Amino acid sequence: MQIGMRGRFARTLVMVSLLGLVAGCEEENKKESVSVSDAGAEDASLAPNAGRLGAALASAVAVGGPPPTPKAGDGPPENGVFAPGAGEAALPKAMNYKTEMLTDGSEPRVLLTSKPDGKEQKTSVLLSVRTGGPQGLPTIDFGMSFKIEKAKGDKPKKDAAGAEAAPAPAPVGSAVIAKVTSAVPASMSPGGLPKELIEEFGKLKGSEIRYQLSPTNAFSGLTIQMAKGVDAGLAPILDALAETVALLTPPLPEKPVGVGATWMVADRFVWTGAKIPVLRYRVFKVEKIEANGTVSFSVDSRQYAEEGTVKLTMGPGQEVSTPLDAFESAGKGTIVWDAAGLVPREGEIRQKLVAQVVPPGAPPGNQQRAVLQSELVGRFQAPTAAAAP
């Protein structure tokens, strides 16, 4: 019974925190739509709904280059939600990602190439998820171990003379395993967290995030496996952790670049809170290239809903679909990267989201709207004592 109560407590806290569902009546249509800027995204350097074209324009202007020529229908969807089929046209589902070079940067230019050294990389990831609701999750300090998964091949083959044959070509890209080695709340409420909840977070140890890195360091093929004994209500925390890793993994251009270079990467992801499929656009800019090859990037991100329906999980086994009226998501981050690492040496991302949906069960013609708000803050740093396995 006690275990069941712990699980329900953990699930309730996560559901309230990650969904942040605040059903509010638009009193006589006087209340304006909530935007990312209203939700506190004062650090976003681009217009809230800038999207693909806006990001490209802003990046080109920032480095003094010529802005691209707009094309008809090339801008982002007005309400942040793609019309049926438009998302597929923007990025065919057969493609994991798409990269568009914007500016090459100044001389000298170098080719950025990911060359993981094969060693296990240990790091600490601080994760915070905040919402517009009355409760929020504590910041969690995850101890993480990243390594390349070795192919389960046969023993080395030998030729007719008995000599060892040349090894088979290495697979394209790398399969990465990210394992949670510890999960400890890094911040406490005034009264401290209940011991039972701290223990629930600790059970995330042993959970795995698996993904594929392409030769150009692009992230794809995400799968998540929770450790045994973890309450299902904590799954969104691992989703948010995986999103942090994805957002801070910089796909690299296929041509030499210098300081000031910018490129845009489009890919797909599923927003943690309401499982909304999104098209994500990230604009990377080279801020600094050091003599030892370490590169500092800045990144601006925008996300757009790929469909106009939201699936809300209202409880165990209770999933409700409801129309999505508007969607807005903006983010900013920094990355310190070197070629030998699987993940950034340092990095931070802040991604904010606001969505308006028709309240589940609302009668036809009802003008009420529910607001989903979320802010994800993730940070890569050297392992801390608390996060050490």
Side-chain angles (χ1 to χ4, degrees), residues 50-51 67 164 197 214 292:
E164 209 171 272
L197 188 57
S214 77
N292 63 2

Side-chain angles (χ1 to χ4, degrees), residues 124-294:
S124 175
V125 181
L126 289 176
L127 177 68
S128 172
V129 180
R130 307 168 189 169
T131 72
Q135 290 182 302
L137 286 172
T139 297
I140 301 176
D141 189 349
F142 286 95
M144 299 287 295
S145 169
F146 291 79
K147 63 181 181 179
I148 294 176
E149 183 177 16
K150 295 181 179 178
K152 297 179 181 179
D154 298 328
K155 294 181 180 180
K157 296 181 180 180
K158 296 185 177 182
D159 58 22
E164 209 171 272
V172 176
S174 302
V176 180
I177 303 176
K179 180 173 287 189
V180 176
T181 57
S182 63
V184 181
S187 61
M188 301 291 184
S189 59
L193 291 177
K195 179 181 177 182
E196 292 82 358
L197 188 57
I198 295 176
E199 291 176 352
E200 288 296 327
F201 287 138
K203 291 179 182 178
L204 291 168
K205 178 180 178 179
S207 299
E208 292 183 346
I209 297 170
R210 294 171 179 257
Y211 57 95
Q212 193 79 15
L213 277 183
S214 77
T216 57
N217 208 51
F219 182 109
S220 65
L222 171 66
T223 62
I224 300 174
Q225 182 177 346
M226 287 200 303
K228 292 182 179 179
V230 178
D231 188 275
L234 297 183
I237 294 179
L238 288 179
D239 291 343
L241 181 61
E243 183 177 3
T244 299
V245 175
L247 284 167
L248 290 176
T249 298
L252 305 173
E254 296 182 354
K255 61 186 298 187
V257 295
V259 173
T262 56
W263 60 95
M264 181 169 61
V265 179
D267 62 1
R268 283 184 167 83
F269 209 72
V270 177
W271 176 56
T272 301
K275 299 297 182 184
I276 301 175
V278 300
L279 280 184
R280 177 173 57 195
Y281 294 87
R282 287 173 293 164
V283 174
F284 293 89
K285 181 179 179 181
V286 176
E287 300 289 350
K288 184 180 181 181
I289 301 177
E290 299 181 27
N292 63 2
T294 300

